[in-house]
Structures are given as C-alpha cells and as structure tokens.
Amino acid sequence: MKQFHIPMPVRYGMNTILIIALLLVGHLLMESGVLPRAHANNVIQVGFFIILAVSLNLTAGYLGQLPLGHAGFMAVGAYVGAIFWRSGLLPDGASIVVGLLFAGLVAALFGVMIGIPALRLRGDYLAIITLGFGEMIRVLINNIPTVTGGAQGLLGIPRHSSFLVVYICVVITCVAVHMLMKSRHGRAILSIRENEIAAESCGINTTYYKVMAFAFSAFFAGVAGALFAGNLGILVPGEFGFMTSINILMIVVLGGMGSMAGAVIAAAILTSLPLVMQGLAHFHVISYLPGASEHIVRYILQWIAQHRMIIYALLLIIAMIAKPTGLLGNYDFSLSRILEKLIRRRNVGKAEKGGADHG
Amino acid sequence: MGKHDPRTPLIPERDQDKRPVMECVGLGIDFGGLTAVDDFNIAIGPTEICGLIGPNGAGKTTIFNLLTKVYQPTRGSMYLEGIDTRHMNTMQANKAGLARTFQNIRLFRELTVLDNVLVGLHNEMSYNLGKAILRLPAYWRSERIAKERAMELLSIFHMQDMAYHKAGSLPYGSQRRLEIVRALATNPAVLLLDEPAAGMNPAETEGLMENIKKIQETFQIAVFLIEHDMHLVMNICEGVAVLNYGRLIAKGTPAQIQNNPKVIEAYLGTGGGVADA
C-alpha cells in the first residue's frame, strides 16, 4: 500500500496560515494592552533569543562545532544596527529593514573572519578562539567611544523592535535555516558533522561549507543583536560578555543540538523562567498554604527568579544526566508529519475493518 | 617511466588499446624517516577489476589515502584519465572521478540511508543557496531527479526499502553496501574499495562478489580493491598487485600471482620446510 503523503503546496499553505494566525494573536495581545509591560517585553526577548539559539544551532548542532563567541556577533550586529538607526539616514520603515540587513551582513563578515581560522581547529580549541573573539569584540567596543559610546553606552537608539518586526525576523530565521538544512547545502553541513573525511571523499567542499555555516549563523546573530538594541534603546558593551554566549549555548544544548523546535522551546522556557517564577510567587493560591510553608514557598520561588544562573546550571546538569541529547534530541517538529501519521492510522483502522467484513 | 613498465601485464585485453583510467608513476610517501610506500607503479584499465593484496602493514590503505589525496605523496605522480592530480585535494580528486569506501565504515550515521546517497549526489545537483532558501523551481527539479537517481542506485543493491532508516541502525553488511552505493552516487570513473568483504560471512562475500561484477558491468567503471579474502580476489580480479613493506613485489593475473615465489614468500615466509598447502 502506498503511504499517504500531504502534498507540498498543502503543507506550505498550512504552515503559512499557522504563522499568520500566530502573528495576529500575538499582535492583538501585545497591542491591546492585555499583557502587562513586563510580559510584553519578555515576549520580545524570547523572540531574539529564539533567533540567537536557532542561528547558533546551525554551527553547534548541525555543523557539529562548538563556538563560544555568539555574543560577539550579536554585539557587532547590535552596534551596527544602532549606529545606523541613530543616524536617521532613511525614513523609519526602510530604516528598519536596511538596518537589520546591514547589521546581519557586517556580522556575517565577522563570521567569515572567524570561520577561516576555525577551519584548522575543532572541539575545545575552536571554543577557546571563538571565546577570545567574543571578548575581543567587547573590549574593542569599549575602547572606541567616539563610535560606540564606549563604556558609557550608546543612548537614544530608536525603539524599532516592535512585536511585528521581531516576529517577522524570527519567522524568517527559522524558515531560512529550515530551507537551508533541507537542501543539498544542508546535507553537506550535516555530513561534515557526521564524518568529515567521508564528506570530503564524497566531493563535499568542507572548507566552503564550514565558512558558510559560520557566516549564516553570524548573520542571524547580528540581526538578533540589532533587535536587542532596538528593544532596549541603550547599548552597553557589558551586555555582550562571555555569559551571554554561554546563555545562548545553554539554550541550544537544553533544547537538543540539531533540533530547531528544541531551540525555540528552550529559548522560550529559559528566557521566561524568572518572570514565571516571580509571577508564581505572587500567585494568590499560595496564600492558602498552611502556616509558615506559604512564606517558604514564596521565598523559594523568588530566590529562583533572582538566581536564574544557578537554576540554569542545575537544569543543564540534570539534562546531561537524564537526557544528554537535550530536550528533543535531534527530533524536529513537523505538523504535516503528525497529521500524516494520524491519517495513516485511521486508514489502517478502516482497512482492517474492511478486511474483517470480507472474512 | 621507472624500471617497471606500469602497463604490463595487468590491463585486460578489452582495455589494452584505451588510455588507462588511473595511472601511478613512482608514487611514494615518507612519514618522518619512515618510507611507508615507495616506487608504486600501476595502470588500471577503464573497466578493469584490479586487486591490491599484501600482508598486514604492507601499506595498502596508505596507497588508497595517497590516491584519494588524504595524504600528499612525497614522490611520484598520479594521473586520473590523463590528468595530473598533483595539486588536488580529496574533494577535487572525487570530482575528478575517484570514489572510495573505508576499511572502518564511515557512513553519516545519523542521516537516513537516502540522505547518505544524496550527499554522494551533491555535485550532481547544481542549484545555489539562494534558490534553495527561496525554494525556486530549480530546487524542486534538481531534488526530484536526485531522489529518483538515489532510489535507483539503492534498488540495484536491493536497499530501496531501507531508504528512510538511519544509516547507523543498519546491519553491518548493509552498511558496507550503502557505503558502496554512496561512492557510486558521486559518478566515479574508478571505485576504490578498502576491504569490502571484511567481517562478512561466506554467503555475504559471495553476494558482494556478484555486486562488484554488477557494478563493473552496469556502470562500465574500473574497480580497484584491497582485500584479504583470497577467494574473492582470485575469482573476480582480472589483475592483482602484491605489496610488501611498501613496495610492489608482483603484478599479474590471479594465476600468475598464485604461483609467484616472491608472493608465497611474503605471505608464508622463507625457510626450507614449508608444507605443501
């Protein structure tokens, strides 16, 4: 029996409708003022952490390298975007698009620069040079105050990162990475992770694809950086320290190296964790708890909200023990696949019934 | 051209008047002070099945690594269809028509069987990055043709039903076959097989021999294989080269090799009392 497949145009249509529906719901929630400010801001933050995690996943998950300088690319994008927006060269609408593109392209250039030495190194050594690179960028920004505002920070950046802009960027990132990975270029990147010598002897230009993956990854990190700048309105170099790179890597590791759905889910959970804990601490149900336990529970929740780095570390340790491949391993969510399975199961059920009737 | 004439007596009659598909002249490599391979001369006809045998550590796999440019030779040269491969790397050697399998299987284990073959077909597809991301018609056309080709190649080896299994989950024999299919997907002129029968039982080896003959007949390409299984070598190879301590000690037809005293010495050692085998 031929297996049932949902035709490609239907799949694309379905996904497009889903994306638009989510956009409408989000937009309505954000603009109507139903969400408190802190929550709305959290949604935006989740947005650029998704972009950062999905882009890092390209090098860490699919290419199988371990870069620790993602915050560096983010910083490059943030400052390029911010400086461009502040200059006010273009009217608002065009400025947003060109600024984001510009931020991405400059970051991608840095990605190529770091990608070339990275060809000679792997594993721990690559982690160390990319880490050094990230710190270099931060120090550099600190020391050219005429351009970047130095340690004082860059102020008065136009607040361009509306929900709409961030959402569109998230969608473009996820779609682009997905389309890339499901093509001959994506297979080439995966083959390098799986076995570099075999990839080369299959005629894959491993040098080209490594640099390409780095550039691609840096491009979207740059875009996320610009969104970050447009959200805060202020940039200080301290934001792009080593811990930020680690945070992004942690999202990827927790979500599952090589799973885009995992990266998205982990980004949402980890970024929202402090807010959710804070919210729970103020939840009125807790006041029904007997005696002192009410205060203890509140205290614990607030402690978690304030010390998220400790919780991240604990989560990471637990994940490494319980499920070393991360939340989703390298499984990727596909609505069409789930639907296909359901329909197939129903068809099989019918066929069995039909068979029984004949017998 | 060295002291041996690399053309004789390996190339089978049907290929004698054609240009050899692969030719090595005085190929050698040193690792530090150690000469691993020296003065390796061979010529392989366009549709020949040729074997490379020799005791463990003779340098057979080193020769494969030299041919596929994993190592760059210290001396000598290698020609693929008449083209000097001096400045090529592994990827370029593959594009020039050289595909190989590995002694210790190197599949893309986490990818599906189909994707493994599609990686092999990478250079048969031509759409660029932009066309892939925007899903332009060139992408769909190219992917469809490649997928059909991949399934066709898999079906030659009766593996089409495994197309969506993870390569790492296949049984050993199928993994070896998949590696051959992946190599064939790159559309080679010469297929290098590094111990294809290693770890196979006699029935599987028998199947492998049929497959190798089938490859040579269907694709009209040359096969150059390293093997310890003498039954396989003597039955399907038209020419056999024997390596010992990094040097060729004999070349010839299987019958000639079997009776060559140097070969017997290399395998069994010297000394008067060698029992009649």
Side-chain angles (χ1 to χ4, degrees):
Chain A
M1 192 175 79
K2 202 167 156 45
Q3 284 208 318
F4 175 79
H5 281 290
I6 297 175
M8 254 320 153
V10 180
R11 283 172 179 229
Y12 281 9
M14 232 159 50
N15 291 335
T16 313
I17 290 168
L18 215 71
I19 287 168
I20 292 172
L22 205 61
L23 170 67
L24 289 179
V25 171
H27 195 66
L28 222 66
L29 274 177
M30 300 290 286
E31 296 300 304
S32 64
V34 178
L35 281 180
R37 259 189 76 88
H39 290 242
N41 198 44
N42 186 61
V43 172
I44 303 280
Q45 280 196 21
V46 168
F48 47 69
F49 269 102
I50 289 177
I51 300 178
L52 287 168
V54 168
S55 63
L56 181 64
N57 199 10
L58 190 61
T59 39
Y62 298 129
L63 186 66
Q65 309 284 349
L66 189 70
L68 281 182
H70 219 52
F73 300 130
M74 190 186 166
V76 170
Y79 276 91
V80 169
I83 291 165
F84 182 84
W85 283 338
R86 264 166 53 109
S87 72
L89 281 174
L90 291 170
D92 260 10
S95 182
I96 296 175
V97 177
V98 176
L100 286 172
L101 271 178
F102 202 44
L105 287 176
V106 176
L109 202 70
F110 277 82
V112 172
M113 271 161 49
I114 194 75
I116 291 169
L119 295 170
R120 299 169 180 279
L121 303 167
R122 62 197 67 197
D124 318 358
Y125 303 101
L126 179 74
I128 290 165
I129 66 153
T130 48
L131 188 122
F133 161 80
E135 289 299 289
M136 226 167 69
I137 297 280
R138 195 175 56 82
V139 172
L140 207 68
I141 291 170
N142 238 330
N143 286 294
I144 38 172
T146 43
V147 187
T148 63
Q152 301 273 305
L154 196 64
L155 308 174
I157 303 159
R159 301 287 194 92
H160 281 326
S161 305
S162 62
F163 174 76
L164 186 71
V165 170
V166 173
Y167 184 83
I168 290 172
C169 287
V170 169
V171 170
I172 290 177
T173 307
C174 293
V175 169
V177 171
H178 178 82
M179 296 301 192
L180 167 71
M181 291 318 294
K182 293 276 182 313
S183 75
R184 74 187 185 109
H185 305 288
R187 280 191 297 265
I189 290 173
L190 287 173
S191 74
I192 294 172
R193 175 189 76 188
E194 292 295 314
N195 201 317
E196 199 171 330
I197 292 174
E200 262 175 66
S201 65
C202 283
I204 305 286
N205 190 343
T206 52
T207 311
Y208 170 79
Y209 280 107
K210 277 188 191 171
V211 174
M212 192 195 84
F214 268 95
F216 221 77
S217 168
F219 178 89
F220 288 112
V223 171
L227 292 174
F228 178 81
N231 180 46
L232 277 181
I234 305 167
L235 278 183
V236 279
E239 293 278 358
F240 305 105
F242 161 63
M243 278 323 287
T244 311
S245 295
I246 294 287
N247 268 342
I248 305 165
L249 184 67
M250 194 140 62
I251 295 174
V252 174
V253 172
L254 271 181
M257 296 252 205
S259 164
M260 194 190 293
V264 172
I265 293 169
I269 293 177
L270 289 189
T271 314
S272 315
L273 191 77
L275 196 68
V276 171
M277 288 300 156
Q278 200 66 255
L280 280 179
H282 294 296
F283 205 40
H284 75 279
V285 173
I286 294 176
S287 54
Y288 294 118
L289 288 170
S293 65
E294 178 197 338
H295 297 288
I296 295 171
V297 170
R298 254 189 234 289
Y299 181 78
I300 291 174
L301 288 172
Q302 250 153 11
W303 188 87
I304 292 175
Q306 284 155 12
H307 299 84
R308 64 189 172 103
M309 290 318 290
I310 296 175
I311 300 304
Y312 283 7
L314 280 176
L315 275 178
L316 201 62
I317 292 169
I318 293 168
M320 286 304 106
I321 293 169
K323 200 162 187 303
T325 50
L327 212 57
L328 296 188
N330 54 13
Y331 168 83
D332 247 323
F333 174 78
S334 157
L335 179 67
S336 327
R337 206 165 50 214
I338 293 170
L339 284 178
E340 277 171 6
K341 251 187 203 153
L342 286 176
I343 294 169
R344 265 181 223 152
R345 198 170 298 164
R346 222 189 56 197
N347 285 350
V348 169
K350 264 187 196 163
E352 276 170 3
K353 243 190 205 163
D357 284 347
H358 285 290
Chain B
M1 204 184 254
K3 44 196 175 220
H4 310 277
D5 180 0
R7 283 169 184 274
T8 50
L10 273 173
I11 297 178
E13 236 167 72
R14 64 174 186 282
D15 286 346
Q16 292 262 298
D17 51 344
K18 293 180 201 145
R19 184 180 64 197
V21 66
M22 188 175 82
E23 200 169 358
C24 299
V25 183
L27 212 56
I29 186 171
D30 301 339
F31 294 117
L34 180 86
T35 301
V37 172
D38 199 21
D39 198 25
F40 181 75
N41 297 293
I42 205 165
I44 293 175
T47 62
E48 181 184 349
I49 298 179
C50 180
L52 179 63
I53 63 172
N56 286 326
K60 303 183 295 294
T61 299
T62 305
I63 284 178
F64 267 28
N65 285 337
L66 281 174
L67 298 179
T68 53
K69 296 289 167 181
V70 174
Y71 303 144
Q72 293 297 336
T74 319
R75 298 172 288 282
S77 30
M78 198 262 277
Y79 302 90
L80 269 176
E81 300 189 280
I83 299 163
D84 193 346
T85 60
R86 197 175 300 270
H87 302 293
M88 289 185 184
N89 60 25
T90 305
M91 181 259 301
Q92 288 159 336
N94 175 269
K95 282 187 178 172
L98 208 58
R100 76 174 291 186
T101 66
F102 297 87
Q103 191 175 356
N104 44 347
I105 303 175
R106 287 177 183 271
L107 285 174
F108 309 129
R109 298 178 60 86
E110 290 293 315
L111 305 190
T112 62
V113 169
L114 179 64
D115 280 346
N116 267 271
V117 184
L118 286 174
V119 171
L121 287 164
H122 180 83
N123 290 318
E124 305 287 300
M125 292 180 257
S126 58
Y127 61 84
N128 61 28
L129 192 61
K131 282 177 182 154
I133 289 175
L134 296 175
R135 290 290 191 260
L136 295 184
Y139 165 86
W140 295 109
R141 193 169 51 239
S142 199
E143 284 286 318
R144 196 193 63 237
I145 295 169
K147 195 179 159 188
E148 279 166 10
R149 176 90 186 117
M151 291 309 271
E152 192 185 311
L153 284 168
L154 284 171
S155 65
I156 295 177
F157 296 88
H158 310 293
M159 294 182 74
Q160 68 275 36
D161 294 336
M162 304 172 187
Y164 294 99
H165 291 234
K166 265 189 190 175
S169 71
L170 296 186
Y172 184 83
S174 307
Q175 291 197 8
R176 284 232 172 262
R177 269 186 293 160
L178 177 58
E179 231 194 353
I180 297 175
V181 176
R182 187 182 67 187
L184 281 173
T186 65
N187 195 16
V190 188
L191 179 63
L192 305 180
L193 303 175
D194 198 344
E195 296 200 23
M200 286 190 172
N201 65 32
E204 283 171 327
T205 307
E206 217 55 52
L208 176 72
M209 284 162 64
E210 271 167 39
N211 279 334
I212 294 173
K213 274 192 194 135
K214 197 152 82 179
I215 290 166
Q216 183 255 333
E217 280 159 18
T218 327
F219 297 92
Q220 288 293 307
I221 59 173
V223 179
F224 188 34
L225 58 90
I226 294 176
E227 192 43 74
H228 281 298
D229 187 322
M230 287 307 143
H231 172 69
L232 183 144
V233 173
M234 297 306 165
N235 274 296
I236 65 167
C237 291
E238 295 156 285
V240 180
V242 190
L243 202 67
N244 197 20
Y245 295 116
R247 282 174 175 277
L248 272 182
I249 55 168
K251 285 191 288 190
T253 62
Q256 287 167 340
I257 293 296
Q258 271 167 331
N259 300 314
N260 187 316
K262 271 189 177 168
V263 177
I264 295 166
E265 188 190 308
Y267 270 91
L268 301 177
T270 47
V274 176
D276 199 12

